[in-house]
Amino acid sequence: MSLELEIDKRKTFGIISHPDAGKTTLTEKLLLFGGAIQVAGAVKNNKITKTATSDFMEIEKQRGISVATSVMAFDYKNKLVNILDTPGHRDFAEDTFRTLTAVDSVILVIDCVKGVEAQTRRLMEVCRMRNTPVIVFINKLDRDGKDPFDLLDELEEELSISVRPLSWPINMGRDFKGVYLLHNQSLNIFEASKTRKATDYTKVEDLSDGILDELVGERDANQLREDVELIEGVYEPFDESLYKEGLLAPVFFGSAVNNFGVQELLDTFIQIAPGPQPRHTDKREVEPDESKFTGFVFKIHANLDPKHRDRIAFLRVCSGEFKRNKFYHQVRLDKDLKFSNPYNFLAQSKNVIDSAFPGDVIGLYDTGNFKIGDTLTEGEEMMYKGIPSFSPEIFKEVINLDPMKSKQLEKGIEQLTDEGVAQLFRQDPGNRKYIGVVGELQFEVIQYRLEHEYSAKCRFEALAFHKACWMTGDKDKIDAFCQYRPKEIVVDKDGNRVYLASSPYVLQMARSNNPDVTFHETSEFKV
Ligand code: G4P
C-alpha cells in the first residue's frame, strides 16, 4: 500500500474526561463495537484505583496493565483506529497532557449529572492550545441529569468552544427513551443492555409523523418536536471544517455502560475525525506524507521487571515509514540508533512490527537513550515542539537517607524524571534537588521505585512553593530579578532558569513589578 493510503487509513485519538465520567467504559465499548475485544471488562483494570494512595504493589500491578493497554488499535470500516489511553487519575494529569500532543483529535466524555468538572476544564485548555478537534459524548443519560440545553450552554461557556448537537435525548433517567439523530433523522430507542452490539435505527424523517408518538409516547414526542425546532433555530448546521479547526464540537448523548449511543458516535468519528496532521518542529512544519521518517517520544514507561532497567519509549510516527532494524538519528544525543524489536499495540496484545506509518504509536525498548520530547529523523537536525512541562503544584526537597548510595539516588532521580514521573529542579549554585509534581501520589511512586529499582533511600521535605514559572523577556531584567532571589531560582533539566513563587500573591507582585519579564506556567510558550 502506498504511503498516502496508509496515512489516509489512520485515525489517532484520545478519550478524555474527569474521573468517573465514563472514559474507561466508553473506551471499552468502542473496542467492543470495533470488534477488537469480544467481552466487556477487558479494559476495566486499566486505571489506577481512585483510592490507591499507599498500596504500592497495587500501583505496580496497575502500571503493568496500563503498558499493555496504553495504546489500543483496531480496524473499523477500513480505517485503522488508534486510541491513546490517558490516565484519568488527577495525580497523573501531566502524563495525560503529554499524551494529548500525540493525538489528532479527542473525544470528551461528560457526565450528564455533573456537567463540566475541574479536570474537564484543564484537559480542554490543553486541547485548545493545540486546536485539537473535539467530539463531545454526554454520558449516563439513564440517570437524571442536567437539562440538555443547560449542558450545552455550560460546555460553550466553560470550555470556550462552540457546540452543535448531532443527537438529542428524549427524556432522561428512568424515563429515558432514546436519542433522535439530527443528522440522519432517525430514532435510536433506548434499551438498557450491557451486551448488545448492534443498533437498530428507525427512520423518522418527518417529526410530525404519528409513528413518533407511538414509539415514545405523545408527551415526549411533542417535547422532542419542540426541542428540535429550537435547536434548528439556535444552532447553525454542523460545519465539519470548523470542527477540524478545533472551533466547533459536535455533541452526542448516550449511556456507555448500556452500549447506547456508541455506534453513532463511532460512525461519525470515522467519517469526520482528521487523519494524521502536520506537526511543528523547531525548524519547520513536517507533513505526514513526506517520504522520510520522523517521530517523537511522548511517553516513557519503566519496565515492570525491576531486574531489567530497560524502559519502553512510546513514539508517535509523524512522517514517512518507520522500518525495523534501520538506523535513525536521535537528534538530541546526535547518535544513530536502530531498533530490532519495535512493537505495536493491538487491543490486548503487543506485536513486533516491521514498519509503521504516520499516526501509529510504537513501543521502543530503551536502555536510557530517550527523554520525553526526543525526536528521531533520517538525519535532519530538528526537534518536535509542543511537549510542554506544566508547572507542578507540589514541591518537595529530596533528602538522601543513605550516603553510600548517593550515586544510585542521583541516577534514579534522573531517570524517573526523564520518564516524566515528576519534574526535577536544582538549586544553582548548590546541589539541592527539588521535585515538583501534580499530585501527592507521585511522591509515593518515586520513593517506592527508587528503593526497588535503584536501591536508594530518600525522604521528602515539603517546600512552600506554589508554582514554577519559566521566564522570557529582557535578559538583563531577568538577571536582575534572579539576583535578588537566590533561594527561589532553580534550574530545570534543560538548563532553563525557573522561578519558584511561594504564593499566588507573590507571583502577582513579581509580574506587576517586572513588566519586562514574562512568567510562564508551562515550559513551552508557543505550540
Ligand atoms: P472513568 O474511566 O472516566 O473514571 O469512568 P468509568 O468508565 O470507570 O465509569 C465510572 C462509573 O460510571 C462506573 O461505575 C461505570 O460503570 C459508571 N458508568 C459508565 N457509564 C455509565 C452510564 O452510561 N450510566 C450509568 N448509570 N453509569 C455509567 P462504578 O460503580 O465506579 O464501577 P462499576 O462497578 O460499575 O464497574
Side-chain angles (χ1 to χ4, degrees):
M1 213 190 297
S2 71
L3 180 62
E4 281 72 23
L5 286 175
E6 294 282 3
I7 294 171
D8 190 48
K9 216 174 157 320
R10 283 160 170 79
K11 309 257 183 200
T12 302
F13 78 108
I15 305 185
I16 55 175
S17 77
H18 188 89
D20 258 359
K23 184 177 73 71
T24 313
T25 313
L26 182 65
T27 305
E28 183 165 285
K29 300 305 165 135
L30 289 172
L31 293 177
L32 207 60
F33 274 82
I37 54 170
Q38 301 311 318
V39 284
V43 192
K44 195 72 210 167
N45 292 329
N46 184 27
K47 52 178 189 177
I48 308 283
T49 322
K50 294 143 212 162
T51 51
T53 46
S54 55
D55 189 345
F56 304 117
M57 282 324 290
E58 197 51 28
I59 294 173
E60 284 294 286
K61 212 166 77 200
Q62 296 193 8
R63 277 195 321 125
I65 292 157
S66 74
V67 174
T69 49
S70 281
V71 185
M72 290 156 277
F74 65 91
D75 274 304
Y76 184 74
K77 298 199 169 164
N78 285 328
K79 298 283 176 196
L80 180 73
V81 181
N82 291 312
I83 306 183
L84 269 56
D85 185 49
T86 55
H89 198 294
R90 189 191 170 282
D91 287 7
F92 292 87
E94 178 104 355
D95 204 18
T96 299
F97 296 152
R98 280 192 298 256
T99 300
L100 289 180
T101 62
V103 303
D104 297 301
S105 70
V106 300
I107 292 181
L108 167 65
V109 186
I110 301 275
D111 179 337
C112 74
V113 183
K114 301 205 174 125
V116 173
E117 298 175 82
Q119 192 73 351
T120 327
R121 271 180 224 111
R122 298 185 64 188
L123 290 163
M124 274 299 288
E125 258 171 47
V126 181
C127 294
R128 307 283 302 128
M129 274 167 77
R130 315 175 52 79
N131 297 326
T132 309
V134 181
I135 299 182
V136 179
F137 183 74
I138 299 187
N139 191 26
K140 306 198 185 179
L141 265 285
D142 57 322
R143 291 201 177 152
D144 285 312
K146 297 185 181 181
D147 175 82
F149 282 110
D150 290 346
L151 279 168
L152 295 184
D153 287 349
E154 194 175 318
L155 287 170
E156 290 205 326
E157 272 163 30
E158 299 220 24
L159 306 180
S160 330
I161 190 164
S162 301
V163 297
R164 173 53 159 110
L166 290 188
S167 77
W168 195 254
I170 304 165
N171 229 320
M172 285 192 172
R174 278 173 47 184
D175 297 322
F176 182 48
K177 302 273 172 61
V179 293
Y180 181 66
L181 302 183
L182 296 154
H183 60 292
N184 65 5
Q185 288 95 27
S186 46
L187 264 185
N188 183 5
I189 298 287
F190 178 66
E191 174 194 333
S193 159
K194 295 190 177 170
T195 50
R196 78 167 182 166
K197 276 208 237 162
T199 305
D200 295 321
Y201 298 105
T202 315
K203 201 88 187 154
V204 183
E205 274 170 54
D206 179 1
L207 280 181
S208 60
D209 194 327
I211 182 125
L212 184 63
D213 303 73
E214 275 172 40
L215 288 169
V216 302
E218 193 183 329
R219 193 181 56 116
D220 286 334
N222 284 335
Q223 184 65 48
L224 178 67
R225 291 178 181 117
E226 233 175 76
D227 287 353
V228 171
E229 201 179 317
L230 192 59
I231 293 164
E232 306 296 351
V234 171
Y235 295 99
E236 296 286 328
F238 175 62
D239 182 336
E240 202 175 309
S241 57
L242 290 180
Y243 156 72
K244 288 208 161 76
E245 285 167 47
L247 299 172
L248 176 72
V251 179
F252 288 87
F253 292 84
S255 169
V257 81
N258 288 300
N259 293 358
F260 187 81
V262 179
Q263 179 84 58
E264 53 257 32
L265 174 73
L266 182 56
D267 286 342
T268 308
F269 169 82
I270 286 291
Q271 226 176 45
I272 66 172
Q277 294 297 294
R279 288 188 132 68
H280 293 283
T281 68
D282 57 353
K283 300 276 160 46
R284 63 186 186 87
E285 189 173 79
V286 177
E287 295 289 335
D289 61 0
E290 291 181 16
S291 59
K292 292 204 166 129
F293 158 76
T294 62
F296 67 89
V297 172
F298 64 92
K299 182 181 172 110
I300 294 175
H301 216 298
N303 196 322
L304 261 193
D305 182 352
K307 286 186 223 87
H308 296 103
R309 196 60 70 64
D310 59 342
R311 307 180 289 181
I312 298 156
F314 288 71
L315 177 125
R316 149 100 196 200
V317 180
C318 297
S319 69
E321 180 179 354
F322 170 91
K323 290 200 176 108
R324 183 158 81 101
N325 278 331
K326 183 170 168 179
F327 274 100
Y328 292 116
H329 187 56
Q330 210 284 29
V331 178
R332 181 179 56 87
L333 298 179
D334 191 18
K335 192 168 164 184
D336 290 339
L337 304 170
K338 74 171 176 167
F339 305 91
S340 49
N341 288 309
Y343 58 83
N344 69 359
F345 309 80
L346 286 169
Q348 300 295 288
S349 61
K350 294 192 294 198
N351 307 286
V352 172
I353 46 144
D354 288 322
S355 58
F357 297 92
D360 284 342
V361 170
I362 52 177
L364 304 174
Y365 285 107
D366 171 34
T367 46
N369 284 314
F370 287 119
K371 234 164 92 162
I372 282 170
D374 275 344
T375 300
L376 286 182
T377 69
E378 292 195 19
E380 197 172 341
E381 298 294 335
M382 64 184 182
M383 291 288 282
Y384 275 98
K385 291 177 57 162
I387 315 246
S389 291
F390 289 80
S391 171
E393 290 166 18
I394 310 171
F395 299 84
K396 291 190 182 180
E397 183 175 353
V398 185
I399 314 278
N400 187 2
L401 289 181
D402 184 351
M404 304 299 287
K405 297 278 172 67
S406 50
K407 264 203 174 135
Q408 282 90 329
L409 181 71
E410 185 85 14
K411 186 168 179 195
I413 296 270
E414 274 299 324
Q415 293 205 346
L416 293 182
T417 47
D418 275 355
E419 270 178 44
V421 177
Q423 289 179 53
L424 174 65
F425 304 100
R426 281 174 203 277
Q427 261 210 335
D428 182 33
N431 193 26
R432 293 169 73 170
K433 288 187 263 317
Y434 298 166
I435 299 273
V437 299
V438 181
E440 282 284 347
L441 188 51
Q442 270 127 323
F443 286 116
E444 300 189 28
V445 174
I446 294 170
Q447 212 162 23
Y448 176 84
R449 290 189 52 194
L450 281 173
E451 205 173 323
H452 287 78
E453 294 169 33
Y454 300 88
S455 312
K457 278 203 168 112
C458 74
R459 67 181 171 84
F460 294 107
E461 201 149 283
L463 295 164
F465 294 121
H466 148 79
K467 276 266 150 71
C469 292
W470 286 262
M471 293 166 281
T472 54
D474 186 309
K475 188 177 171 301
D476 292 341
K477 296 270 167 49
I478 297 178
D479 287 346
F481 176 80
C482 294
Q483 198 183 347
Y484 294 112
R485 293 173 179 73
K487 291 205 171 112
E488 289 143 40
I489 300 297
V490 287
V491 177
D492 74 5
K493 286 193 94 167
D494 298 320
N496 302 308
R497 274 184 298 187
V498 177
Y499 167 50
L500 301 179
S502 55
S503 72
Y505 173 75
V506 167
L507 178 56
Q508 181 55 39
M509 289 300 286
R511 281 188 166 127
S512 55
N513 292 338
N514 298 278
D516 298 316
V517 180
T518 313
F519 296 88
H520 305 268
E521 291 177 27
T522 70
S523 67
E524 196 162 283
F525 321 118
K526 203 170 172 318
V527 286

